[in-house]
Amino acid sequence: MKLLRHGPRGQEKPGILAGDGTIRDLSAHVSDIGGDALTDAALANLAKIDPMSLPIVAADTRLGACVAGTGKFICIGLNYADHAAESGMAVPPEPVIFMKATSAICGPNDPVIIPRGSTKTDWEVELAVIIGTKCKYVSEADAMGHVAGYCVANDVSERAFQTERAGQWTKGKSCDNFGQVGPYLVTRDEVPDPQNLKMWLTVNGTKMQDGSTKTMVYGVAHVVSYLSQFMTLHPGDIISTGTPPGVGMGMKPPQYLRAGDVIELSIEGLGQQRQEVIVDLV
């Protein structure tokens, strides 16, 4: 299934993508795409519904983040060896963990907002994992059973905030609209091998990133198991698993986003995002 959330920001309703490409409303069957609705049993019940029997949603309706109630937005850094190289950093001996503020989460086509004082706002297409059931100290062999599904994420980053100012990476990752997720939560059964997905990103029509999850250093099962050794993972938590090469910081000379730019990004089978870049005027 391809589950989604549609409607104005803060008022999203649950939905599903039907086989004919239309969006259908799931409000009569589930209150939202999050929490207990992410268990295998709950997803199996939703799978029994014929999407074509559901009310149709206007094609131009805004899509929100594809999961609700996210308590943690966890990111894995330098998880592609070739991206680590372009960043001038070594492949880490264990996954690098940092947090992205949940207030950065937004819809897949909501704008990228360049924050006040930014000079180096950058893009990162990433495979995001959405946790379906609570897990703690889970083994790698059992980790995938706690995954509800996957989605596309744009881990937008302000590199000067991230690497040139004192402290950790979080402040360069957490600005408003620095976390587009969706358009769909694609359930685990539709992604038999998350380590073999093509992924790409363009800026103004020029391809910047063209990679595959094949080149991840630490795969999804390892990452879920690893994180669960340090923190309990809860339904709706998002794990963004790293980006392939081609980010602006790695170019010679570096290239960063400017107002008016258009970003498009996709991962095989998970849908596509499109964002216009604007400046924060608040």
Side-chain angles (χ1 to χ4, degrees):
M1 290 182 294
K2 291 182 173 65
L3 301 172
L4 54 91
R5 300 171 67 247
H6 62 92
R9 192 162 188 165
Q11 303 175 43
E12 293 91 348
K13 297 178 180 179
I16 188 170
L17 186 72
D20 65 351
T22 58
I23 296 171
R24 303 289 175 140
D25 184 69
L26 272 173
S27 297
H29 298 274
V30 66
S31 61
D32 211 339
I33 307 299
D36 291 341
L38 300 177
T39 66
D40 283 354
L43 293 174
N45 285 333
L46 291 180
K48 296 174 184 176
I49 301 167
D50 176 9
M52 299 301 288
S53 70
L54 301 172
I56 195 167
V57 176
D60 61 352
T61 298
R62 172 189 174 271
L63 296 182
C66 60
V67 63
T70 297
K72 295 188 288 296
F73 194 161
I74 311 163
C75 298
I76 306 299
L78 304 175
N79 199 25
Y80 288 71
D82 34 13
H83 171 59
E86 73 172 352
S87 302
M89 300 180 189
V91 174
E94 296 185 33
V96 171
I97 303 170
F98 62 92
M99 296 291 198
K100 201 173 184 82
T102 55
S103 55
I105 296 172
C106 60
N109 303 316
D110 289 346
V112 167
I113 302 175
I114 297 177
R116 185 180 298 179
S118 168
T119 58
K120 297 181 179 180
T121 298
D122 204 348
W123 56 84
E124 292 189 13
V125 59
E126 304 202 2
L127 173 69
V129 179
I130 298 171
I131 297 297
T133 53
K134 180 179 175 181
C135 60
K136 182 178 183 181
Y137 302 132
V138 68
S139 68
E140 190 166 335
D142 294 333
M144 299 303 283
H146 294 277
V147 172
Y150 306 91
C151 70
V152 182
N154 191 358
D155 176 20
V156 185
S157 309
E158 211 302 332
R159 303 301 188 187
F161 296 176
Q162 177 189 356
T163 64
E164 298 173 17
R165 299 177 64 171
Q168 300 177 346
W169 289 1
T170 301
K171 63 177 172 284
K173 298 281 190 170
S174 296
C175 302
D176 292 347
N177 285 43
F178 267 29
Q180 286 80 2
V181 290
Y184 318 119
L185 186 166
V186 181
T187 51
R188 188 177 77 241
D189 59 298
E190 289 200 8
V191 187
D193 185 2
Q195 304 308 147
N196 189 23
L197 302 175
K198 295 178 181 177
M199 55 203 307
W200 57 263
L201 179 146
T202 66
V203 178
N204 300 327
T206 299
K207 187 164 283 187
M208 301 298 186
Q209 294 185 271
D210 189 10
S212 170
T213 58
K214 280 183 179 180
T215 65
M216 270 189 202
V217 178
Y218 301 106
V220 171
H222 181 88
V223 165
V224 172
S225 173
Y226 182 83
L227 289 172
S228 78
Q229 310 308 308
F230 305 101
M231 64 191 83
T232 301
L233 301 176
H234 293 92
D237 284 351
I238 299 171
I239 305 169
S240 204
T241 58
T243 197
V247 300
M249 177 178 63
M251 295 183 176
K252 301 187 187 310
Q255 178 178 330
Y256 297 110
L257 294 168
R258 298 289 180 263
D261 287 345
V262 174
I263 309 164
E264 294 181 279
L265 57 151
S266 180
I267 299 177
E268 182 180 0
L270 304 186
Q272 184 168 328
Q273 300 183 358
R274 181 185 186 278
Q275 297 117 26
E276 296 182 7
V277 179
I278 63 175
V279 174
D280 195 344
L281 299 177
V282 177

